[in-house]
Amino acid sequence: MSSKTAGESKRWRLASVTVVDFRGVLGSQLFEFNGHPALIWGNNGVGKSTLALALEWILFGAFPSNALAAPKDAFMSPVGGGSKVCKGEVVFVLEEKRLIARRDAAANTFQVEFDDKKVHDNQARVLLEDQLGLDMDTFVRAVLLQQSKIRGLLLDDVKDRNKALDRLLGMDAAEAMLENIKPKPFKDAAKSWRENIESTEAHYQSQAELLEKRFNEAQQEARANKFLGRDLSGAGLTLLYAGLGRDLGKIAGKYGADAPQLPPADTVAGAKKTSAALAKALNQIRLGAELQKKLAPIGKRLAALQAAGEEWAELVEQRDEAQKDLDGIGKHHGDVKAVATRRAELEQELTRLKQQLRSASELRTLLVQARVCFEGDIVDACPVCEQGIAQPKKVLRSIGERIEGLTTKSVREIEKALEKARTSHVDLCETEKKFQTAQTALAEAQKQLEAGRKTTMKLLEVDGLIESKVSSELTKALADVTKQRAELSKGVETMEEDLEAISERDRAVRDGLVPFLECREAVEGHEREWKKAKNSYADAEKKASEMDDRATQVENIKKAILAAKDEIASETLGKAGPRAQKLYEKLVQHPLFDRLDVKTAVKANKVDYSFEVSSSAVNKSAREARLVLSDGQLTAAALALFYALAEAGQHGLDLLYIDDPTQNLDHARKEAMAKVVVDLASRKQIVVSTQDEDFVVLLRDAGFENGCVVHHIEQWDRRPTVSTTMPKTSQA
Amino acid sequence: MHELYRTVTLHLKAQRDSAAALKLWHNLWDAYEQGGAEGVARFMDQIIKLPDNDEADPS
């Protein structure tokens, strides 16, 4: 194999990679290559892939894995190392020139040193990409070859296989574009704008019809209210209310009220305010009119006279009742003097009767004593006159008879007469009291009547009004005032008629003309809005056209992308095809299907791929590779394409970094792979990492180690134990 | 310059009246470079003008 050194290459080769506190590496670790091919081998998990990750991270600040789109502290920093301290350096050589890329996560810096100049960040990125002639996409596709990238070719789903080929051919961007660039949403948007125009127009049309109907109805109503053509305008409205204001002023003057000022009704809204002000003014005239001022005291006087009349009538009635009561007593018991005379006579009679009763009692006592005298001793002579008594028994009997007479007849009669006289006396006393009470009531009623008379005189403003004239004077005064009020009321009625006439004119304007003008304003407003909407249609149509244009542009871009994708993929496959065919023959060594053919197939909206194998000895033997090859053969076929594409890449880096190329391969394929690697290494700087000791032996047998650096990572305890062997030619 | 960008640009330039399509393509490419496929989708959403969501064209 060739032992081409950095000095012999026309492109950049890898000289060294240094990582510090990166992933599993604690501290600093240098991997030297000096532009030579290299073998990195060791068991699983000793950090072989970490070196590939470090290379990409240092150069591009990202990782090849899609799952790690951005560097993550937890992913990058080693356990026990400081957070975000990881950094690294990659050195490329080209003859005597050196290109150094440095990245420091802690300082968040990227530096490229070239030709004694150091540039940073974006400038550094531009310089690096300029010198290497590739960006990250090309790097991971054409330099950093990881077998995981070809696994998609083994999948069943055609979409997944196409996706894998897209990745291999660098068509990711084209696919991302094709998936997201669609003309339909723009066409839909254009349609939506036009539908919007139609629906807006339909809305305005229906509104216009409705408003026209209302306008006609309002016009009929206005005509019904006798409004003429000249009235049916804002100016007409103003004139009508001005006329109403003038007439209102006249009426106010006529009835002695203050002339109200109405606001000008120069708009419909103003007319509503004017109408409200007019209603208020009408009330002010009602309240402030002279008639009302006069009517109020008349009403008050009328009420006072009515009250006085009623009160007088009541007083007279009370007095007459009292008189009637007194007269009734007199009629029943006679004159009050006669009653008094009779009472005096009865009192004399009572005195007399009492005297008689006393005399009769004394006589009876005397007779009783006489009888006792006669009954005890025989009396022959009178004890008084001492004359002889001829018949004492007869005397005794006579005394007895007299006693009996006095007891049974005289005394009783006297007592009966006395009782009768007493009763009559009591009755007469009672009658006298009635007289007294009735006389008092009469006097009081008369007194009140007198007071009423005086009050009435004061009310009627007259002197010397006798009682009998009070009622008639009151009636007369009441009639006068009632007449006055009637006259004033008639005036008020006339005023109300005048005011109502004004009010009616206002109502006619408010309910007949204003709605018409409102309708007209609404129609005019609608027409203005409609016109504005129509003006906006042009804008909407412009937007619809823009969307149509966008759809066309997107369609054209889509076609251009499809054409470009087909062109680029075909060209890439065309360039890589012969080499892929040779590698296929060497790696797969199929007894029948000895040809590999990968082509593009342009369809309406996409570019598909065919990954076919065929026999050069048999016509029409082409078959889809996944249908006739085993997984190992298919892997080898995919690697053949993979390597061929990488070799065909046009960039300034003479490096292929092949990570773990023997997965799925049997011994024969591994042996073929070793030969292919050695062959590749004769033209390029190949860096192979593997855990496959058989493959290491096969590489050695093929002579790979003769001209390459060997990094054997033996142990791993956060500090890799690396046994490095430089190429014999280099050592020599 | 990305080969796809360059090739698509050439294809578009070969078309008639392609100035607007070219401008749109440049913007789409910028969107892709800044946000990948999602960036393109976002950009497409932004340039669609609907009557109820008429926003300024970012392009």
Side-chain angles (χ1 to χ4, degrees):
Chain A
M1 68 169 281
S2 168
S3 59
K4 194 184 281 184
T5 62
E8 295 164 334
S9 173
K10 299 289 173 65
R11 296 194 287 171
W12 292 102
R13 288 195 164 199
L14 184 65
S16 66
V17 178
T18 306
V19 291
V20 181
D21 288 339
F22 181 83
R23 298 272 291 149
V25 179
L26 192 61
S28 177
Q29 181 69 46
L30 168 67
F31 292 90
E32 285 187 290
F33 300 94
N34 293 337
H36 297 294
L39 171 65
I40 302 164
W41 70 286
N43 291 333
N44 288 335
V46 295
K48 300 186 297 297
S49 295
T50 294
L51 189 57
L53 289 172
L55 186 59
E56 188 179 358
W57 178 72
I58 295 165
L59 295 177
F60 301 105
F63 298 105
S65 168
N66 290 332
L68 292 164
K72 299 283 189 302
D73 293 346
F75 176 74
M76 289 171 65
S77 303
V79 174
S83 179
K84 293 186 181 177
V85 296
C86 48
K87 52 188 171 183
E89 179 186 273
V90 175
V91 180
F92 293 105
V93 290
L94 173 57
E95 298 175 339
E96 300 305 317
K97 291 185 281 188
R98 289 164 68 83
L99 178 67
I100 305 168
R102 298 187 185 95
R103 191 174 292 276
D104 186 332
N108 193 26
T109 56
F110 177 57
Q111 182 195 73
V112 171
E113 186 178 335
F114 173 65
D115 212 11
D116 295 331
K117 281 193 297 186
K118 287 180 184 173
V119 291
H120 297 85
D121 302 324
N122 202 41
Q123 279 186 318
R125 183 183 64 78
V126 171
L127 176 60
L128 184 75
E129 289 187 8
D130 190 42
Q131 285 300 315
L132 298 182
L134 47 68
D135 57 11
M136 190 178 75
D137 284 347
T138 311
F139 180 82
V140 298
R141 195 175 71 248
V143 177
L144 189 59
L145 307 183
Q146 293 173 301
Q147 209 186 50
S148 59
K149 299 226 182 72
I150 61 163
R151 281 183 199 138
L153 291 173
L154 311 181
L155 296 173
D156 290 336
D157 192 330
V158 68
K159 279 185 187 171
D160 293 333
R161 292 201 302 278
N162 280 333
K163 218 170 189 176
L165 273 164
D166 276 335
R167 277 203 296 273
L168 280 179
L169 294 167
M171 293 292 116
D172 310 53
E175 275 312 295
M177 290 284 187
L178 289 171
E179 274 178 24
N180 291 289
I181 297 176
K182 289 167 187 165
K184 190 171 181 301
F186 294 98
K187 287 179 184 170
D188 291 344
K191 191 179 168 194
S192 185
W193 277 109
R194 292 193 175 103
E195 283 173 353
N196 199 40
I197 293 171
E198 283 171 19
S199 68
T200 306
E201 183 63 10
H203 166 75
Y204 277 105
Q205 183 65 46
S206 69
Q207 278 292 103
E209 284 166 9
L210 189 69
L211 284 171
E212 191 184 348
K213 191 182 167 197
R214 284 187 195 157
F215 178 83
N216 290 334
E217 286 169 2
Q219 195 173 33
Q220 281 176 8
E221 183 67 25
R223 296 285 187 202
N225 278 287
K226 314 279 186 205
F227 289 109
L228 303 173
R230 65 169 182 270
D231 299 326
L232 305 180
S233 66
L237 182 71
T238 307
L239 284 173
L240 283 168
Y241 267 114
L244 272 172
R246 276 196 304 277
D247 292 349
L248 193 69
K250 284 179 192 168
I251 287 171
K254 180 179 171 184
Y255 294 106
D258 294 334
Q261 288 295 316
L262 297 181
D266 45 3
T267 60
V268 167
K272 288 183 178 176
K273 284 181 188 168
T274 307
S275 178
L278 190 136
K280 198 174 168 186
L282 290 174
N283 273 336
Q284 282 173 351
I285 290 171
R286 262 186 200 100
L287 296 171
E290 289 292 340
L291 286 170
Q292 288 290 8
K293 286 177 187 169
K294 286 178 187 168
L295 198 58
I298 284 176
K300 204 172 168 184
R301 182 163 177 74
L302 189 65
L305 285 170
Q306 280 172 338
E310 285 168 10
E311 192 181 352
W312 178 255
E314 200 175 325
L315 288 171
V316 168
E317 190 182 342
Q318 282 175 3
R319 196 275 313 272
D320 290 349
E321 280 295 320
Q323 186 63 56
K324 194 178 169 186
D325 288 347
L326 187 63
D327 291 347
I329 295 167
K331 194 178 178 183
H332 192 262
H333 297 286
D335 189 277
V336 67
K337 285 180 185 172
V339 171
T341 305
R342 278 188 61 198
R343 179 181 55 76
E345 285 172 358
L346 266 176
E347 281 171 354
Q348 286 174 2
E349 178 70 11
L350 278 170
T351 305
R352 189 181 56 80
L353 284 170
K354 283 175 185 171
Q355 189 62 41
Q356 277 183 353
L357 188 59
R358 196 161 45 246
S359 299
S361 293
E362 284 173 358
L363 180 60
R364 188 171 174 268
T365 304
L366 194 60
L367 286 171
V368 168
Q369 285 173 351
R371 190 174 67 184
V372 169
C373 189
F374 272 94
E375 281 174 348
D377 298 308
I378 299 296
V379 180
D380 293 327
C382 176
V384 180
C385 63
E386 294 177 352
Q387 287 181 10
I389 300 169
Q391 297 176 318
K393 287 186 180 178
K394 192 179 174 183
V395 172
L396 187 59
R397 194 171 56 247
S398 177
I399 290 169
E401 285 173 356
R402 290 289 302 268
I403 291 169
E404 185 62 23
L406 281 170
T407 304
T408 59
K409 192 177 174 186
S410 299
V411 172
R412 280 186 188 171
E413 281 175 3
I414 292 166
E415 283 176 347
K416 199 175 174 182
L418 187 59
E419 187 57 35
K420 189 179 174 186
R422 276 178 179 156
T423 304
S424 295
H425 183 258
V426 167
D427 287 345
L428 284 174
C429 285
E430 197 65 29
T431 302
E432 269 188 329
K433 275 183 189 172
K434 283 181 182 171
F435 269 118
Q436 211 166 13
T437 304
Q439 280 170 338
T440 305
L442 181 60
E444 182 59 29
Q446 190 61 46
K447 192 180 165 187
Q448 286 183 2
L449 191 67
E450 184 57 21
R453 187 181 67 86
K454 285 178 181 170
T455 305
T456 306
M457 284 197 301
K458 200 175 173 184
L459 180 65
L460 296 175
E461 296 171 349
V462 294
D463 293 327
L465 182 65
I466 59 170
E467 185 190 314
S468 60
K469 294 284 184 186
V470 169
S471 184
S472 61
E473 285 300 316
L474 274 172
T475 305
K476 191 182 166 195
L478 196 61
D480 288 346
V481 174
T482 304
K483 191 180 171 189
Q484 281 176 31
R485 192 181 70 162
E487 282 168 5
L488 283 172
S489 294
K490 202 175 172 187
V492 168
E493 221 168 87
T494 308
M495 180 182 76
E496 283 298 333
E497 282 169 8
D498 290 344
L499 295 178
E500 178 55 28
I502 293 282
S503 188
E504 196 164 330
R505 282 166 63 194
D506 172 48
R507 267 200 302 279
V509 174
R510 199 179 58 212
D511 301 338
L513 181 59
V514 170
F516 166 76
L517 293 174
E518 272 181 322
C519 273
R520 197 162 68 182
E521 276 187 8
V523 168
E524 286 168 356
H526 180 262
E527 281 170 357
R528 279 195 300 276
E529 290 296 315
W530 198 356
K531 195 176 172 187
K532 214 185 282 178
K534 280 179 175 166
N535 289 336
S536 76
Y537 296 162
D539 193 38
E541 179 53 43
K542 192 179 161 194
K543 287 194 170 77
S545 296
E546 276 176 28
M547 292 298 100
D548 279 339
D549 291 346
R550 281 270 189 248
T552 307
Q553 290 157 18
V554 168
E555 192 74 57
N556 290 341
I557 290 170
K558 202 169 177 179
K559 282 178 188 166
I561 293 171
L562 283 169
K565 183 180 174 185
D566 179 46
E567 189 178 310
I568 295 166
S570 298
E571 191 183 334
T572 307
L573 289 169
K575 281 182 192 168
R579 178 65 180 151
Q581 174 60 37
K582 279 186 183 172
L583 289 172
Y584 172 75
E585 286 169 18
K586 284 179 183 176
L587 287 173
V588 179
Q589 300 166 6
H590 201 282
L592 177 62
F593 295 106
D594 57 352
R595 297 200 60 76
L596 173 68
D597 196 10
V598 185
K599 289 186 294 190
T600 56
V602 182
K603 297 194 175 167
N605 289 311
K606 59 181 179 176
V607 176
D608 280 350
Y609 301 97
S610 63
F611 193 79
E612 292 178 345
V613 290
S614 60
S615 169
S616 56
V618 182
N619 284 336
K620 295 184 181 176
S621 58
R623 297 285 187 277
E624 198 179 330
R626 59 181 288 278
L627 299 179
V628 293
L629 300 184
S630 69
D631 280 358
Q633 288 171 327
L634 197 57
T635 303
L639 283 170
L641 178 64
F642 196 15
Y643 293 161
L645 287 169
E647 281 189 89
Q650 298 291 315
H651 51 80
L653 194 52
D654 192 30
L655 171 68
L656 273 183
Y657 194 114
I658 307 170
D659 187 22
D660 199 7
T662 57
Q663 283 180 26
N664 273 353
L665 301 187
D666 60 14
H667 186 79
R669 242 88 7 219
K670 284 179 188 173
E671 192 175 7
M673 179 61 74
K675 285 176 183 170
V676 165
V677 168
V678 170
D679 178 49
L680 284 170
S682 67
R683 292 187 299 282
K684 298 174 78 75
Q685 184 187 16
I686 303 293
V687 177
V688 183
S689 75
T690 184
Q691 42 70 38
D692 187 342
E693 286 194 40
D694 287 348
F695 186 54
V696 172
V697 171
L698 289 168
L699 280 172
R700 189 182 298 138
D701 292 347
F704 183 66
E705 286 189 8
N706 293 336
C708 77
V709 179
V710 179
H711 292 297
H712 180 205
I713 307 175
E714 296 171 41
Q715 285 187 351
W716 185 270
D717 184 15
R718 296 198 287 168
R719 289 183 188 278
T721 304
V722 184
S723 162
T724 300
T725 308
M726 296 308 284
K728 288 168 187 172
T729 51
S730 181
Q731 285 171 343
Chain B
M1 190 186 290
H2 199 287
E3 198 176 0
L4 178 70
Y5 174 72
R6 187 177 53 77
T7 313
V8 171
T9 303
L10 285 174
H11 275 277
L12 286 172
K13 278 183 179 171
Q15 292 175 2
R16 263 196 230 166
D17 301 326
S18 60
L22 270 166
K23 188 183 172 194
L24 179 59
W25 166 243
H26 298 325
N27 289 328
L28 280 165
W29 187 257
D30 283 346
Y32 175 73
E33 286 204 315
Q34 284 168 27
E38 285 180 8
V40 175
R42 243 186 340 263
F43 178 78
M44 292 294 282
D45 284 345
Q46 284 170 359
I47 61 171
I48 290 173
K49 290 176 187 172
L50 289 165
D52 54 351
N53 186 26
D54 184 17
E55 290 174 0
D57 184 348
S59 64

